[in-house]
């Protein structure tokens, strides 16, 4: 995810500087904290063969959105703050509702990261108002969430099943 926003943000800003780019992340993310404060933190963590900064985590936690909410600033995100215009957090309940809304109303089978991105795009559209073009990336499918979003037991354990309207709970086993 860091590589996607890092590369896309650089490309867009270099080719059309007026483009606005926002980092979207879940509650409990260090990346949101870093993007909103600029503070990488002083703690270092070994990631592969490289030592990476570990910013302070933002408030809250996210059991649902796997693969995002990084706790370190990886090499592909170095310099990113020069290319983004802000950072937004999305709640797990909103992500889950969006994943199932896209599935049931649009026929698009996405996972939590893509659901989070669509939530952010919708929120940004509301914030900016009419007359703007908003683009996001549907970066994962729902297949890897079979034991999570599509598991009644997991959804109940995380308190997320109640976030869905009854018609979207059909087929969750």
């Amino acid at each position: 995810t860091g590589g996607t926003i890092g590369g896309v943000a650089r490309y867009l800003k270099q080719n059309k500087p007026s483009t606005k780019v926002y980092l979207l992340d879940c509650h409990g993310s260090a990346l949101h904290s870093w993007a909103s404060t600029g503070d990488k933190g002083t703690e270092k963590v070994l990631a592969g063969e490289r030592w990476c900064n570990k910013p302070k985590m933002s408030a809250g936690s996210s059991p649902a959105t796997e693969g995002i909410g990084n706790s370190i600033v990886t090499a592909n995100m170095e310099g990113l703050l020069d290319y983004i215009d802000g950072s937004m957090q999305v709640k797990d309940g909103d992500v889950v509702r969006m994943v199932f809304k896209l599935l049931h109303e649009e026929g698009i089978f996405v996972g939590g990261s893509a659901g989070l991105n669509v939530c952010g795009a919708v929120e940004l559209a509301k914030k900016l108002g009419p007359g703007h073009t908003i683009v996001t990336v549907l970066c994962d499918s729902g297949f890897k969430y079979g034991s999570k979003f599509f598991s009644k037991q997991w959804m109940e354990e995380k308190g997320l099943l109640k976030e869905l309207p009854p018609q979207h709970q059909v087929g969750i086993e």
Side-chain angles (χ1 to χ4, degrees):
T1 311
T4 302
I5 191 169
V8 170
R10 283 178 184 89
Y11 178 83
L12 291 173
K13 289 292 194 171
Q14 288 169 353
N15 288 282
K16 188 174 180 186
S18 63
T19 301
K20 302 291 182 209
V21 178
Y22 287 82
L23 181 143
L24 301 170
D25 223 336
C26 56
H27 285 267
S29 164
L31 295 183
H32 171 72
S33 178
W34 167 62
S36 37
T37 67
D39 183 3
K40 282 188 188 181
T42 56
E43 185 179 348
K44 299 272 188 178
V45 176
L46 187 61
E49 297 178 4
R50 181 176 181 273
W51 287 94
C52 299
N53 286 81
K54 182 176 181 177
K56 292 180 182 173
M57 301 296 277
S58 61
S61 65
S62 181
T65 45
E66 176 180 306
I68 58 175
N70 279 348
S71 60
I72 59 174
V73 178
T74 53
N76 57 6
M77 298 189 83
E78 289 293 332
L80 178 63
L81 297 186
D82 295 335
Y83 297 98
I84 65 171
D85 297 286
S87 175
M88 299 165 54
Q89 287 184 301
V90 181
K91 295 177 183 171
D92 282 343
D94 294 337
V95 171
V96 169
R97 280 191 299 278
M98 184 58 73
V99 165
F100 282 88
K101 179 178 181 163
L102 291 170
L103 177 62
H104 288 276
E105 297 177 19
E106 305 295 336
I108 303 171
F109 187 45
V110 299
S113 298
L116 181 135
N117 285 350
V118 174
C119 284
V122 168
E123 190 60 35
L124 190 58
K126 291 176 185 175
K127 179 179 174 181
L128 296 176
H132 295 87
T133 300
I134 300 186
V135 177
T136 194
V137 176
L138 302 182
C139 53
D140 63 352
S141 77
F143 286 107
K144 74 176 187 177
Y145 291 84
S147 63
K148 290 190 172 194
F149 290 2
F150 301 98
S151 163
K152 186 175 185 177
Q153 179 182 346
W154 187 88
M155 291 282 283
E156 286 175 337
E157 286 172 3
K158 301 301 180 188
L160 294 170
L161 190 61
K162 66 182 183 212
E163 298 287 341
L164 296 177
Q167 68 271 21
H168 290 181
Q169 294 181 22
V170 175
I172 301 176
E173 299 177 5

